[in-house]
Amino acid sequence: MTDERTIRIDPVTRLEGHGSLTIKLGPNNEVKDVQFNVSSTRFFEKFLEGRPMEEAVRIAPRICGICPIPHHLASVKTVEDAWDVTPPPAAIKLRRLLIEAKQLSSHAIHFYALAAPDFVFGPFADPAVRNVAAVLKHLPGVATQAIKLMEFGQELCKTVGAKAIHPTTAIPGGMMSPITEEQRDHWLSKTDEMFENIQKTVDLAKTVVNDYLDVITKVAVTPTYYLGLANDGELDIYDGLIRVMDPEGEIVEEFEPRNYDEYYGEHVSDHSYATHIYYKAAGYPEGIWRANSLARCNVADKMATPMAQEALEEMRELVGRPSHHTFAYHYARVIEMVQAAEWIKKLLEDPEIVSEDVKLADVEANAGEGVGVVEAPRGTLLHNYVCNDEGIIEKANLIVATNNNIAGIEKSLMDAAKLIFEDEGHKGLELPDPMVET
Amino acid sequence: MPDKVSVAMGQGSSCWGCFQSLVDIHMNLADVLPQLDIKFWAAVADFKHEHLEEYPDGSIDIGLYEGMARTEEDVHLLKVMRDKCKTLISFGSCSTFGGIPGMANFSDIEECYDVKFRNNKTVKGGEVPTENLPPITDVVKPNKDYVDFDIYLPGCPPTSDLILKALTALLKGEDIELPPHTVCHYCDREKEDTPIPEVLRPYQGKADPDRCLLEQGYICLGSATWGLCEGQCVNKGAPCRGCFGPPPPIHDDQGAAGISMLGSYAPIEPEEILEQVKDPLGTFWRFSYPTSHLGSMRIKREEANDQ
């Protein structure tokens, strides 16, 4: 019999935000509570008040250095919704190119730099080696394909967005400048190599999934609701309707982003500066939902591109639909990388991508309210601004991607903690030998 | 082979964009990473705060601190980084000037809490969370008010080229030489020194791609901003918003310089220009409010309230 104790993990590492973990154990290692403590906040919703709407488009990306492009685009869509503006088709294609390029690089950095060290060196390796620098040292080929994919995505973002991190070219009514034919040709010439690296990533992911199948199917298998955009049922990260799937796999809602407050609940936790977003009709905590790659793959009927669809079918054969396997997020991320790669090629091959007709000249500010939604790598991202007749923001509400996952993360951590502390289930897990012995 | 250089990467309250920009040196990582002995970098390696605290003072060669200090934990980490690192670098504009999140100082902290936790479209009646969380500071103070830095590397984010140049010099033990020019130096647009008839918002009309944006009436802070960005936005049609802060000496008042430049180009009556420039504070002091004259008065007011 053991006494009550508290385990603190501070900070949670290999994530790009701020968080710590608190696990409270009772007698006999009974798990009493698991908290994911998100330990900072910066008050964007407050200081967007008083700013001109079009400037929010340049301020909001600073919420996240990994996903500034989804914020840039969710923000510009919000303003266009409020002012009833439809940008030229070429501008929308450039924006889609931007967000698909970001999806590619973000998923690459997540898979290779944040997640892979665990799988390459095994979960019990020394912290000094269980990181991306060691991947570079021991598996230079793998590191090179990772860096090449990140480079492709980030540099393409720079071509379209002026900056890969905190882009500046989207503006209510379109884009500040087009891309040139030379730029288009340059990126088209790079797509073959990019697809080779995508194929290698898919192969590596399949190896990891097969090696760790016991972990994937036993640790943190956590039924929740799921949230994600779908465009005519297809997985889409730039546009569509918001879908909610219940834990049994039924699509229980499909709605216009404008009506989000009928469906979104926001719970203020006593132990996290990040609020917990949930499905309002089911209440809290029953209605906890998760977003991000696996959620999108769950709610969508199918992928939008052929190679990605093939990969999704393979995943569904292995883990089903819906998949509640928290570790399957990595697999879903790779499937989405395939779709992003296919979208990029399709867009670059579209003659309209170099059109110079990318910005309206007659946009006018007016009083109104707008909602803009895109899928950020970490999930459905929603901006909502109310402005006065000069287009100055009076109220802002931001439901950022990760907030959709905070409660779900806690829930899956609770499942993992029970498995480890109460059942000692981790001892019986079948683990492969590390790819690299350290 | 020379010994590795030990490094610690600290993150205050920020977006991680500066570190993403470091990662974006791409294949150069293959040269740089093997030279580093990573002692602390939460997003990359699994060392905890206690590991950092246990290193002897002054035992780490280089520290980079990203972000401003919004919580007591951020302030603590900043001070620990100062104690442990021989050379401490202020990494990015949040760390150097307060940055975008420094705009929270436009309001009182209770007003910030209202919108975040108590009353917004999807939130009603919540309380400020406290359990297992570091308290939030009442006001964003510049990091340089808490600790001394050896090097400032501003930018939102600093470009990957700039980071590579700085890291390469540091790893060789050389000084970092940075050109002092403003953004205008790198801007391909032509200046004709013509007055501005009217201030325009960036969505209005279509700008001539070959002419100075400011002269066309679009507010552009290029002339008041350090050009370490090499003009990436202005050359893609987007007016400068000042994300690298003022040119050296870098703690001059960027906002005052920007307004003065607009004033000298726009022979417009004061009442009219006030009407046309919609958000002076959030436009001219977007990245540097906490280190500006106005912003320091705001911080002093908070300090007076506390006494």
Side-chain angles (χ1 to χ4, degrees):
Chain A
M1 174 125 172
T2 47
D3 290 335
E4 298 201 3
R5 63 189 170 119
T6 299
I7 297 170
R8 289 267 299 153
I9 297 172
D10 184 21
V12 178
T13 45
R14 280 186 280 136
L15 88 176
E16 68 276 355
H18 263 73
S20 61
L21 197 62
T22 309
I23 303 167
K24 295 180 184 173
L25 299 175
N28 299 317
N29 275 347
E30 185 196 347
V31 182
K32 297 278 203 190
D33 194 15
V34 173
Q35 299 178 351
F36 180 38
N37 313 110
V38 177
S39 53
S40 187
T41 184
R42 289 165 294 157
F43 307 109
F44 274 80
E45 287 159 319
K46 183 62 194 176
F47 61 72
L48 283 175
E49 290 176 10
R51 312 282 81 76
M53 290 278 261
E54 70 278 12
E55 298 297 331
V57 180
R58 298 194 52 175
I59 293 170
R62 270 74 184 199
I63 292 169
C64 176
I66 305 245
C67 64
I69 281 155
H71 279 287
H72 191 51
L73 299 181
S75 183
V76 80
K77 284 174 76 176
T78 305
V79 182
E80 288 169 349
D81 185 41
W83 292 354
D84 199 16
V85 171
T86 305
I92 293 176
K93 286 178 180 172
L94 284 175
R95 290 178 187 177
R96 185 180 279 281
L97 185 59
L98 194 53
I99 199 168
E100 300 292 350
K102 180 66 246 188
Q103 184 84 333
L104 186 77
S105 59
S106 175
H107 279 3
I109 195 172
H110 192 294
F111 181 71
Y112 284 104
L114 303 182
D118 285 332
F119 301 116
V120 170
F121 302 104
F124 305 111
D126 188 296
V129 297
R130 197 176 53 217
N131 60 59
V132 70
V135 175
L136 187 65
K137 183 176 166 193
H138 294 285
L139 298 172
V142 170
T144 301
Q145 74 206 36
I147 292 171
K148 290 278 184 191
L149 282 171
M150 293 191 281
E151 176 174 16
F152 183 97
Q154 291 293 92
E155 294 300 312
L156 178 53
C157 285
K158 200 189 280 181
T159 298
V160 182
K163 296 162 72 191
I165 306 159
H166 309 326
T168 57
T169 52
I171 184 80
M175 298 292 280
M176 282 298 200
S177 55
I179 62 167
T180 63
E181 288 183 24
E182 292 72 44
Q183 287 169 328
R184 186 264 321 268
D185 294 345
H186 168 78
W187 288 111
L188 264 180
S189 77
K190 296 253 181 194
T191 51
D192 283 351
E193 186 196 27
M194 185 264 289
F195 270 99
E196 280 170 31
N197 287 320
I198 288 282
Q199 190 55 51
K200 288 179 191 164
T201 308
V202 172
D203 294 343
L204 178 65
K206 279 189 197 165
T207 306
V208 166
V209 166
N210 286 317
D211 284 357
Y212 284 89
L213 199 59
D214 205 40
V215 174
I216 293 169
T217 53
K218 286 181 186 159
V219 181
V221 181
T222 306
T224 59
Y225 287 79
Y226 295 97
L227 176 81
L229 277 185
N231 205 339
D232 283 332
E234 291 178 348
L235 191 151
D236 196 319
I237 59 173
Y238 183 70
D239 221 349
L241 299 174
I242 300 175
R243 277 186 172 186
V244 179
M245 174 185 266
D246 74 11
E248 281 72 47
E250 286 289 316
I251 302 293
V252 288
E253 307 286 0
E254 184 171 63
F255 54 92
E256 291 281 352
R258 280 201 137 242
N259 304 323
Y260 78 101
D261 63 321
E262 290 174 34
Y263 307 93
Y264 277 56
E266 186 171 3
H267 169 78
V268 179
S269 148
D270 57 6
H271 58 261
S272 167
Y273 289 132
T275 56
H276 297 185
I277 311 300
Y278 63 96
Y279 176 42
K280 204 170 171 179
Y284 187 86
E286 289 73 18
I288 289 173
W289 66 30
R290 290 189 284 182
N292 198 328
S293 56
L294 184 66
R296 289 187 286 260
C297 286
N298 277 338
V299 305
D301 302 328
K302 54 186 195 310
M303 304 301 285
T305 56
M307 278 170 65
Q309 175 59 18
E310 213 175 294
L312 178 70
E313 283 167 17
E314 241 180 285
M315 181 177 93
R316 282 184 176 166
E317 266 176 44
L318 203 64
V319 293
R321 177 193 184 202
S323 161
H324 301 302
H325 310 86
T326 304
F327 277 97
Y329 271 91
H330 297 311
Y331 198 167
R333 214 165 266 127
V334 172
I335 293 169
E336 289 193 323
M337 279 174 79
V338 176
Q339 174 156 318
E342 289 177 280
W343 254 119
I344 289 166
K345 184 156 189 276
K346 187 172 153 188
L347 287 161
L348 288 170
E349 285 170 345
D350 183 336
E352 203 177 21
I353 202 73
V354 291
S355 162
E356 292 185 0
D357 179 18
V358 294
K359 183 179 185 286
L360 303 178
D362 58 352
V363 172
E364 284 181 21
N366 52 254
E369 175 167 5
V371 175
V373 172
V374 298
E375 286 288 338
R378 308 289 182 267
T380 313
L381 167 65
L382 185 147
H383 287 220
N384 172 199
Y385 316 144
V386 178
C387 71
N388 68 15
D389 58 0
E390 291 191 310
I392 307 299
I393 295 177
E394 293 181 332
K395 290 294 285 179
N397 194 31
L398 308 175
I399 310 285
V400 303
T402 297
N403 285 35
N404 292 300
N405 296 313
I406 304 285
I409 288 170
E410 272 187 1
K411 207 170 149 85
S412 66
L413 284 169
M414 174 60 98
D415 288 342
K418 282 184 170 169
L419 177 94
I420 291 166
F421 293 105
E422 295 181 3
D423 307 334
E424 299 198 339
H426 60 296
K427 290 185 177 166
L429 288 173
E430 283 174 34
L431 288 174
D433 291 333
M435 285 182 204
V436 176
E437 292 286 355
T438 52
Chain B
M1 181 169 165
D3 284 346
K4 287 188 175 190
V5 174
S6 54
V7 295
M9 313 290 198
Q11 188 189 6
S13 292
S14 62
C15 73
W16 210 75
C18 301
F19 286 124
Q20 174 74 55
S21 194
L22 193 168
V23 173
D24 288 353
I25 63 173
H26 306 316
M27 284 314 292
N28 292 297
L29 286 169
D31 296 328
V32 171
L33 276 183
Q35 296 183 58
L36 307 181
D37 176 14
I38 298 171
K39 294 293 187 188
F40 183 80
W41 191 359
V44 168
D46 295 327
F47 298 110
K48 304 300 173 189
H49 285 142
E50 67 206 40
H51 293 108
L52 181 65
E53 284 161 7
E54 283 163 7
Y55 298 127
D57 284 358
S59 66
I60 298 172
D61 295 319
I62 300 170
L64 277 78
Y65 190 89
E66 182 203 274
M68 51 88 187
R70 178 80 266 187
T71 68
E72 288 184 8
E73 181 181 275
D74 295 338
V75 175
H76 175 71
L77 178 64
L78 180 58
K79 289 177 177 169
V80 174
M81 288 281 290
R82 176 66 283 180
D83 290 344
K84 306 299 171 190
C85 300
K86 288 192 200 95
T87 299
L88 184 63
I89 301 173
S90 171
F91 192 35
S93 289
C94 290
S95 182
T96 306
F97 312 110
I100 290 246
M103 284 196 286
N105 285 3
F106 295 170
S107 310
D108 287 329
I109 192 68
E110 289 299 326
E111 296 173 316
C112 294
Y113 288 147
D114 283 344
V115 167
K116 172 92 193 171
F117 300 117
R118 296 171 182 143
N119 186 24
N120 205 337
K121 185 139 178 177
T122 40
V123 144
K124 295 277 178 285
E127 287 178 23
V128 180
T130 54
E131 195 181 339
N132 292 315
L133 294 170
I136 286 174
T137 60
D138 288 342
V139 70
V140 177
K141 278 193 218 175
N143 286 349
K144 69 182 177 70
D145 289 7
Y146 293 110
V147 301
D148 292 326
F149 287 102
D150 302 296
I151 294 167
Y152 291 98
L153 217 52
C156 187
T159 63
S160 306
D161 287 348
L162 173 62
I163 295 168
L164 182 60
K165 190 174 164 184
L167 279 180
T168 307
L170 281 166
L171 292 174
K172 286 185 190 158
E174 293 170 359
D175 286 343
I176 303 170
E177 301 281 345
L178 300 174
H181 316 298
T182 66
V183 174
C184 296
H185 177 83
Y186 301 93
C187 180
D188 299 336
R189 295 162 181 276
E190 251 175 72
K191 260 190 175 169
E192 293 173 10
D193 290 326
T194 51
I196 302 170
E198 180 192 11
V199 177
L200 295 172
R201 291 165 71 173
Y203 60 82
Q204 292 177 309
K206 276 190 190 176
D208 179 340
D210 300 320
R211 280 207 58 201
C212 169
L213 287 162
L214 186 64
E215 287 183 6
Q216 298 182 64
Y218 298 103
I219 294 175
C220 178
L221 263 70
S223 67
T225 301
W226 199 359
L228 296 174
C229 61
E230 303 191 8
Q232 48 194 352
C233 299
V234 287
N235 290 327
K236 279 287 280 183
C240 176
R241 289 291 175 262
C243 80
F244 277 72
I250 62 164
H251 287 109
D252 273 6
D253 198 309
Q254 183 186 23
I259 281 200
S260 139
M261 179 57 76
L262 178 67
S264 63
Y265 267 84
I268 302 172
E269 289 302 314
E271 298 75 28
E272 222 172 298
I273 205 162
L274 257 179
E275 174 58 31
Q276 290 179 14
V277 179
K278 295 299 173 195
D279 174 27
L281 205 53
T283 302
F284 297 101
W285 283 275
R286 182 173 300 176
F287 291 89
S288 60
Y289 184 60
T291 50
S292 70
H293 296 307
L294 276 174
S296 66
M297 283 155 62
R298 160 75 179 89
I299 292 167
K300 281 180 189 138
R301 191 183 81 212
E302 196 75 38
E303 286 168 344
N305 288 345
D306 288 345
Q307 280 162 9

